[in-house]
Amino acid sequence: MRRTAVLSLLLALPLLLAGCRAGGRSEPEQIYLVSAVGFDPDSNGGVRLSLEVPLTRESADESPAPALFTGEGGTVEEALRQIAAGLGRRLLFSHCALLVLGDGLSREQMEAIFGFAESGVTLPLAAQVIAAPDAGALLRGGSLSTPAAGYDVPGIFRQVSGSLGLDVRCRIYELRADASPGRPVVLPLFRAAGEDAPEAAVFGGLRLLREGKPALELSPEQSVWYAMLTDRYDGENGSPGGLLGVRLRGVKSEIGAGRSGEDLWLSLALRMEAADRLPAGEADALCARIEEGVRGLFLSLREQAGEDVFLLGDRLARQDAALWQELAPDFARLFAGAELRVSCEIRAKESGNR
Amino acid sequence: MRRHQTGSGLHKTALAALFTVGNTLIRYPWRSVGPDMLGLFLLSAVGALIPALCLYPLFCRLLRRRLSGRRGRLCLAAALALPLGAYALFCVWRSCGDYLNFASGLILPDSGRLLLALGFLGCVVWLSRVSGQGLDAFSLVCFVCVLACVLALFCFGIPHFRPEYFGVRLPGSAAELAGSLPVLLWESFLPLAVLSGYFALAAPRRGERALAGGTAVGCGILLLCVLQTLLTFGASYAAELRYPYSFAVRILSVGQYFFRLEGFSYLLDYAACLLRAAVCLAAARRLLGRFFPRLARWLPPAAGTVIFGIFCLG
């Protein structure tokens, strides 16, 4: 019996270990590991594909210099074929950590890009997706802290979103799982850093992509307000100290509507904590600034977008499905007249007094 | 003797559990039903116990007794055994085909297709011919490894779960249920009928406990996998993916250094498909052997060769 068990496991091993050869009979020096993929629209209505590949160093003294391969084509596959035709090595996407979507991509092109990512073994579903004015330029900028911008940018975003308290779901599978008609795609926006900057890219806030409409851009501070309004603020880790000098300890967010369907309201109660006791006037001024910032963003985005970019409908449906069924047909009108109630309270850390 | 029987019960439970998982996870039959998926899965888990509770006693009565000169009993046994044997062969084909397509599409996308088919089918044929004790030992070893992997992967996946994706919804109308019933029948009830046949021929007399217990444990393993997939991707997105569970596991990482943990999920797919195919082949051999003993001896290699040929041509 023991012999049978050992034999069985031995039979299993070759098949399991075969997974190590996912490179397809290629030695490491015959492969280009793609760390980031950028997509931009080209002048002919097609796609310009940029692949960032960290090159292996011949000696320890050499500085890592990632290469950027670009190709154009009517589809993503055509652009990829154009790149592959000029290379002597195979391209391996399984280590890709970043997808950069440039400005001006159409909805069909975005669908094709996500289809390319999901078509089997091409791109990891856990790769992060970001927006950039020019994806190729962002990846061309390189990085000093890691061998490639593709590995650097996700780290920068993790750091920034942690300190701002942004809970942005921007991995490929998260975007796809949350996708639904009419719902904006929220991506972190990065711009290529200048030559003096130590990072590959600089965080520029959030970008809201909407179907067939111009994208909306939010500054880092507005991104924090947006996260609060959409219930995507990570209060546990969030510390907008860099923006306001206070720490947000909690957000109580509620949404509701009258049965008559006339009054839709969203209420936000923010509880902040200052490291030291603030003078009364200063605390009030800070509260006023926060309330004004949140309210201002709500009103301006509502006016610019003309649609529910705060996902209030989603929240209402989750909270009270029956009420949502009743309000859904007339929700656009209700949203246009929705009321926002913001209140802010700042306490000192030690004393607990305002 | 008593000790041997206790051990055998555990082994058989492990065998039934892995058989229940089989190629079900790769086929992901609930993808067509969208948000009802979890409800239907729970329904099918209940349905999966029917063969253990109803068919096993029937098969024991008809198949385990010696074929006597009574023509009526012989005809009844033949009418039951031959279609069941043919269906068992079909299950071998489906299980092998599903695993080989899965492995050549995901594990070895660019190479080793024929080698993989040869290795896997060789294992299936060999396992179907070993003694019952050999198959039992293999099942238990695999079961322990599989359970450890599934539990560990589930725990590692918890930080990625989204509670809003959870929801149990049963089909709202009789028409909806009627649309889902063939799927339930095809994917859970019928293959487990073959397992009941195998147990009736190979298991000790009190096999129903191991059969029912193993089926329930197998459903439990499937439930963990389905929950992990659902809570990571949501029902509608999971339904769009080719291999949702493998993809749900693929995104996991532990700390800064352990990535791509989906290799551990391949063990589940490999062991479950291999065991289902081997047990189905062994069941077909034994069922056919009741009537054509000499012919049945050549059934495993012949079936393996035919499947290999079809896979190579396909």
Side-chain angles (χ1 to χ4, degrees):
Chain A
M1 192 185 290
R2 189 178 294 169
R3 194 178 58 184
T4 311
V6 171
L7 264 174
S8 309
L9 281 177
L10 282 178
L11 281 171
L13 274 177
L15 297 173
L16 296 172
L17 292 177
C20 301
R21 302 196 58 174
R25 291 192 189 135
S26 301
E27 299 300 328
E29 62 270 17
Q30 295 173 323
I31 297 171
Y32 279 130
L33 287 176
V34 178
S35 62
V37 186
F39 301 91
D40 288 298
D42 72 358
S43 48
N44 303 320
V47 178
R48 193 175 78 237
L49 182 66
S50 308
L51 305 180
E52 188 197 48
V53 175
L55 298 177
T56 48
R57 287 183 291 176
E58 297 296 328
S59 70
D61 301 332
E62 286 181 35
S63 61
L68 192 76
F69 303 124
T70 54
E72 290 184 355
T75 63
V76 177
E77 285 77 12
E78 278 177 30
L80 184 62
R81 271 198 294 275
Q82 194 191 65
I83 295 174
L87 300 177
R89 302 186 194 181
R90 288 182 67 241
L91 290 162
L92 194 67
F93 289 88
S94 57
H95 291 255
C96 180
L98 188 69
L99 247 81
V100 190
L101 302 181
D103 276 355
L105 288 167
S106 67
R107 187 184 158 203
E108 288 75 24
Q109 285 173 324
M110 298 245 294
E111 281 297 318
I113 288 165
F114 284 121
F116 170 72
E118 288 166 354
S119 61
V121 288
T122 40
L123 286 169
L125 289 181
Q128 220 157 52
V129 186
I130 63 165
D134 185 333
L138 184 82
L139 296 180
R140 209 174 294 120
S143 169
L144 290 180
S145 53
T146 61
Y151 300 139
D152 199 9
V153 172
I156 298 171
F157 181 61
R158 200 163 41 245
Q159 209 170 6
V160 170
S161 59
S163 69
L164 294 182
L166 300 176
D167 179 20
V168 178
R169 291 165 49 75
C170 62
R171 297 184 182 278
I172 293 176
Y173 74 91
E174 292 170 336
L175 289 171
R176 299 294 279 168
D178 286 346
S180 63
R183 189 187 180 113
V185 176
V186 183
L187 296 178
L189 174 69
F190 278 84
R191 291 192 174 83
E195 286 183 3
D196 303 333
E199 299 94 3
V202 176
F203 177 66
L206 294 179
R207 174 161 286 189
L208 276 62
L209 307 176
R210 300 169 303 149
E211 288 170 8
K213 292 171 186 161
L216 300 171
E217 205 171 304
L218 307 179
S219 68
E221 186 173 312
Q222 286 177 324
S223 302
V224 177
W225 310 143
Y226 181 77
M228 289 175 183
L229 285 163
T230 50
D231 211 14
R232 288 271 185 213
Y233 188 82
D234 186 359
E236 289 295 315
N237 301 317
S239 172
L243 289 173
L244 304 165
V246 288
R247 184 183 178 84
L248 194 129
R249 299 302 300 177
V251 183
K252 193 178 174 194
S253 172
E254 283 180 301
I255 184 168
R259 283 281 162 189
S260 59
E262 287 304 313
D263 50 341
L264 178 71
W265 53 264
L266 173 68
S267 141
L268 279 180
L270 313 177
R271 198 159 49 83
M272 323 286 278
E273 185 182 81
D276 301 312
R277 188 170 179 156
L278 295 173
E282 199 176 319
D284 288 343
L286 196 53
C287 274
R289 185 185 156 194
I290 291 168
E291 288 170 12
E292 197 181 319
V294 176
R295 198 173 287 115
L297 180 77
F298 181 78
L299 295 174
S300 67
L301 269 191
R302 185 171 66 178
E303 194 179 335
Q304 282 179 60
E307 60 186 13
D308 181 16
V309 287
F310 303 104
L311 312 175
L312 301 185
D314 279 18
R315 285 176 62 189
L316 199 58
R318 273 205 305 272
Q319 199 175 292
D320 189 344
L323 179 63
W324 170 245
Q325 289 282 339
E326 196 181 313
L327 300 182
D330 201 23
F331 189 73
R333 188 185 60 79
L334 278 176
F335 174 71
E339 181 192 356
L340 177 69
R341 304 166 189 168
V342 194
S343 64
C344 176
E345 185 186 24
I346 299 179
R347 289 176 184 273
K349 196 173 181 181
E350 292 99 346
S351 65
N353 295 328
R354 186 179 163 174
Chain B
M1 185 65 191
R2 184 181 167 80
R3 216 177 138 185
H4 167 74
Q5 277 192 353
T6 309
S8 179
L10 274 176
H11 287 72
K12 285 280 188 282
T13 305
L15 176 76
L18 286 178
F19 185 96
T20 305
V21 176
N23 55 339
T24 311
L25 205 56
I26 294 179
R27 293 197 76 84
Y28 201 66
W30 313 282
R31 67 177 56 201
S32 56
V33 292
D36 300 344
M37 208 209 82
L38 193 58
L40 274 171
F41 171 76
L42 295 174
L43 205 62
S44 71
V46 175
L49 291 171
I50 294 173
L53 302 175
C54 302
L55 292 182
Y56 175 74
L58 179 74
F59 288 161
C60 280
R61 245 182 242 166
L62 285 171
L63 300 175
R64 287 189 67 199
R65 287 187 188 166
R66 287 184 61 194
L67 296 173
S68 62
R70 290 169 62 182
R71 186 160 294 194
R73 179 176 284 276
L74 187 69
C75 287
L76 197 60
L80 184 72
L82 294 179
L84 191 63
Y87 179 68
L89 284 176
F90 176 70
C91 285
V92 177
W93 154 249
R94 283 227 315 183
S95 201
C96 290
D98 283 345
Y99 179 75
L100 291 175
N101 284 329
F102 167 78
S104 59
L106 209 64
I107 306 174
L108 287 171
D110 298 321
S111 59
R113 187 178 158 92
L114 294 184
L115 190 69
L116 182 78
L118 199 63
F120 186 75
L121 289 168
C123 290
V124 171
V125 171
W126 177 73
L127 261 182
S128 70
R129 288 167 68 101
V130 299
S131 65
Q133 279 189 340
L135 200 58
D136 288 352
F138 179 77
S139 308
L140 193 64
V141 172
C142 284
F143 177 75
V144 172
C145 299
V146 161
L147 195 63
C149 288
V150 169
L151 285 174
L153 291 173
F154 188 83
C155 293
F156 294 145
I158 288 173
H160 301 270
F161 291 171
R162 310 294 299 189
E164 64 260 30
Y165 293 146
F166 181 81
V168 181
R169 180 182 172 272
L170 288 170
S173 64
E176 275 184 65
L177 186 62
S180 313
L181 270 181
V183 178
L184 295 182
L185 184 75
W186 193 247
E187 296 297 340
S188 74
F189 183 81
L190 279 179
L192 289 170
V194 178
L195 182 67
S196 296
Y198 175 80
F199 263 62
L201 291 166
R205 285 185 182 172
R206 291 179 182 173
E208 63 269 272
R209 190 180 292 178
L211 184 56
T215 307
V217 172
C219 288
I221 293 175
L222 275 176
L223 178 65
L224 281 181
C225 301
V226 167
L227 271 180
Q228 178 150 14
T229 309
L230 273 186
L231 290 173
T232 307
F233 292 142
S236 49
Y237 181 54
E240 290 174 22
L241 297 170
R242 275 170 73 203
Y243 302 113
Y245 179 64
S246 295
F247 286 180
V249 170
R250 185 177 267 205
I251 63 165
L252 300 183
S253 60
V254 181
Q256 290 186 330
Y257 302 105
F258 298 100
F259 296 94
R260 307 294 300 268
L261 300 179
E262 79 269 20
F264 292 101
S265 76
Y266 297 155
L267 177 68
L268 169 69
D269 296 308
Y270 171 73
C273 287
L274 178 63
L275 263 171
R276 184 178 271 200
V279 168
C280 285
L281 197 50
R285 185 171 63 88
R286 287 175 191 230
L287 287 166
L288 201 65
R290 303 278 291 165
F291 305 95
F292 313 104
R294 287 188 183 173
L295 198 65
R297 207 177 299 162
W298 295 102
L299 184 67
T305 310
V306 169
I307 293 174
F308 181 71
I310 295 174
F311 188 73
C312 290
L313 290 173

